[in-house]
Amino acid sequence: MKYEIDLRNDHWIGAGSLLIIGLRALDAGIFAELDAFAWVQGWETDRGRLFRHAYRDPRFGTLLECGLCRGEDTTGGRKPCSLCDGTGRIDRLRPEVREER
């Protein structure tokens, strides 16, 4: 990565710019492997602040609470829920039609 340095007559501005550039380069170097892995996996990356990166798999946004067991994994008879197979979640992108048991 290339960073441009704007040096003026005031040396403090130049030193501050160098410090910021150095911190950003260090941040990019530390998180380079994790960012690359997240990019390959298709995850969302949030780089809100220096040295803080948050990763999220967008597939978590497709999970909904099961309407039959209300996320409890079981129905009234303590049997696993037949709609969600006992997970408590339904994937809204892959609706599966199941036969009654």
Side-chain angles (χ1 to χ4, degrees):
M1 287 186 215
K2 290 187 178 182
Y3 297 100
E4 293 183 22
I5 301 172
D6 183 25
L7 291 177
R8 299 181 185 144
N9 292 336
D10 189 5
H11 295 292
W12 288 107
I13 294 173
S17 298
L18 285 175
L19 179 64
I20 290 170
I21 290 168
L23 288 174
R24 286 187 180 167
L26 182 62
D27 177 63
I30 289 172
F31 289 99
E33 187 175 351
L34 289 171
D35 287 345
F37 178 78
W39 181 77
V40 168
Q41 297 296 320
W43 294 352
E44 299 168 353
T45 305
D46 179 25
R47 298 178 189 92
R49 298 173 64 182
L50 280 176
F51 305 109
R52 287 192 183 181
H53 293 211
Y55 305 99
R56 182 179 181 275
D57 190 342
R59 292 180 292 175
F60 285 120
T62 65
L63 297 176
L64 300 173
E65 181 181 274
C66 177
L68 186 60
C69 67
R70 307 226 186 262
E72 296 291 326
D73 307 338
T74 59
T75 55
R78 296 292 174 213
K79 296 178 184 177
C81 178
S82 61
L83 185 61
C84 65
D85 286 335
T87 62
R89 296 180 199 95
I90 298 174
D91 188 353
R92 67 183 172 129
L93 292 183
R94 286 191 275 167
E96 298 176 10
V97 178
R98 300 173 192 238
E99 296 180 11
E100 289 290 324
R101 296 180 190 180

